[in-house]
Amino acid sequence: MSRRLRVGMFCGCSAGCSEQAPIPQRAIERADIPHCADGFCGRQSSYRRSAVLTIGIGHDERTISRAGRLGVNRVELEADLLGELLAVDGRPHWPLLGRVLRNGPESDWVPGQLLACNIDHQVRRGEIIDVDARRVLAVPAGMEADSALQMPLRWPLLHAALCGGLRLQAGESLLVHQGDGELGLSAIRLAVSLDCSVMAVCADRAGIARALAAGAAETARYGDDWPTLLREHGAVDAVLDFSGGACLQASLPCAKRGARLGALDLCGARPPIAMAWPAFWQRQASLASLDWSPMRQWHIAEIAREAFMRIHDGEFNSGKD
């Protein structure tokens, strides 16, 4: 058994920078408040005193990192489940599910509540960490762990796609492809919360049932003549495709004049999308590549979190199982 105790000052930057960025000793002595120690975000740091205690040897070693005083917009979590490493904006991200232990002065999460977030370093189950309370999502009761791990990146992406890329407004209509998948169902819920009417194309009858339960007004199956069936219910203002644009050409008959067509994963590495360009130009349609950058568009995550809380109000895990 070994014990190593290290006490120091670490960056408490609310922009979610590195947890282990040491503040220079001279800044502490002079009581300066410099920018984030990472030198990236340019935000003001809120210092906090941290203690790192390592207990055990080798594989049994466990590290407990606990802040004596949490920053203003921080929340302390006990790690419950860590997802696989993701590379986003060229930086490592680990999806994490954790239980709330305590809050900073301006954080009001319920102790024991299950939250989902992304962190920039790997941790072990049971490790105590603190994260930006404005960049976490409460996990709705009944949501599977795999889906919950994806939410911190997926939900801001959907919000950026619908509200930014497709500029969806209240009273408009949206056609969602793969409407029975997790992304499609989340897009349907978000569009309905924006007071939009949603049509969804699904794989089978079970998928149609899920899409209708999420709020879709009209549905069709890919095995049927879905462009004709959905066109009978009126044309749509926007089309959302999760398959890299593969369904956009077939969606043209369902689109209004001036419709906005958008797809995820439109990048140079994929083959060019097939499109009936004469019909596309005749409808005066527009095409958007939908994406979201956690580094350059971090503010979208805060806006998306508020929408997520409104949609799932009353469905959250409020304590330990």
Side-chain angles (χ1 to χ4, degrees):
M1 178 71 69
S2 67
R3 291 177 179 269
R4 299 195 306 274
L5 179 63
R6 178 164 57 91
V7 179
M9 299 297 291
F10 296 91
C11 174
C13 174
S14 60
C17 299
S18 173
E19 297 284 340
Q20 300 298 325
I23 302 300
Q25 182 65 31
R26 62 180 182 277
I28 300 172
E29 295 172 351
R30 295 171 53 190
D32 289 344
I33 304 179
H35 291 104
C36 167
D38 279 357
F40 165 69
C41 69
R43 287 175 161 264
Q44 296 292 327
S45 297
S46 57
Y47 294 153
R48 65 187 190 277
R49 185 171 294 278
S50 301
V52 179
L53 176 63
T54 302
I55 303 175
I57 301 175
H59 294 292
D60 296 327
E61 186 175 88
R62 182 185 178 196
T63 301
I64 302 175
S65 176
R66 185 153 189 154
R69 180 176 62 83
L70 292 177
V72 173
N73 291 298
R74 310 292 290 185
V75 59
E76 190 174 71
L77 304 177
E78 180 180 356
D80 187 60
L81 180 63
L82 189 70
E84 296 182 359
L85 171 64
L86 302 173
V88 183
D89 284 342
R91 290 194 168 197
H93 288 259
W94 280 272
L96 173 75
L97 299 183
R99 297 280 181 181
V100 176
L101 295 180
R102 57 180 179 146
N103 292 285
E106 294 188 10
S107 176
D108 57 356
W109 296 103
V110 179
Q113 190 171 16
L114 185 62
L115 302 181
C117 64
N118 287 305
I119 58 176
D120 59 2
H121 60 283
Q122 195 169 13
V123 298
R124 298 179 182 179
R125 181 183 177 90
E127 188 169 339
I128 298 173
I129 61 172
D130 66 282
V131 298
D132 191 336
R134 298 168 300 178
R135 297 194 176 194
V136 298
L137 291 175
V139 178
M143 177 176 285
E144 296 181 357
D146 289 343
S147 299
L149 286 170
Q150 298 176 36
M151 290 307 297
L153 286 177
R154 183 178 67 190
W155 188 259
L157 171 61
L158 289 175
H159 197 280
L162 268 61
C163 300
L166 293 179
R167 308 184 304 280
L168 203 61
Q169 303 292 325
E172 292 188 326
S173 54
L174 172 70
L175 171 59
V176 177
H177 284 281
Q178 298 85 40
D180 50 348
E182 287 294 336
L183 275 173
L185 294 172
S186 296
I188 292 172
R189 295 187 184 99
L190 179 56
V192 171
S193 74
L194 298 173
D195 294 326
C196 297
S197 175
V198 181
M199 299 182 184
V201 190
C202 308
D204 50 32
R205 294 187 182 276
I208 286 178
R210 291 194 294 271
L212 291 173
E218 303 293 342
T219 58
R221 295 185 301 174
Y222 282 110
D224 301 328
D225 185 11
W226 59 266
T228 301
L229 294 174
L230 294 180
R231 186 66 179 84
E232 294 176 354
H233 298 285
V236 297
D237 298 283
V239 179
L240 176 61
D241 181 14
F242 295 110
S243 60
C247 299
L248 292 182
Q249 178 173 261
S251 302
L252 275 179
C254 306
K256 291 182 179 179
R257 180 176 295 274
R260 289 96 63 190
L261 281 62
L264 274 67
D265 297 329
L266 278 180
C267 61
R270 299 182 63 91
I273 63 172
M275 180 62 68
W277 294 111
F280 180 87
W281 302 126
Q282 185 178 17
R283 277 185 165 75
Q284 299 178 350
S286 60
L287 179 63
S289 177
L290 306 176
D291 199 1
W292 171 66
S293 168
M295 183 183 299
R296 298 185 298 273
Q297 301 170 305
W298 60 268
H299 61 284
I300 291 180
E302 298 183 25
I303 301 173
R305 183 177 69 88
E306 296 175 1
F308 184 85
M309 297 293 288
R310 289 195 303 269
I311 294 172
H312 294 281
D313 185 31
E315 302 178 16
F316 300 116
N317 290 284
S318 58
K320 293 187 177 181
D321 297 333

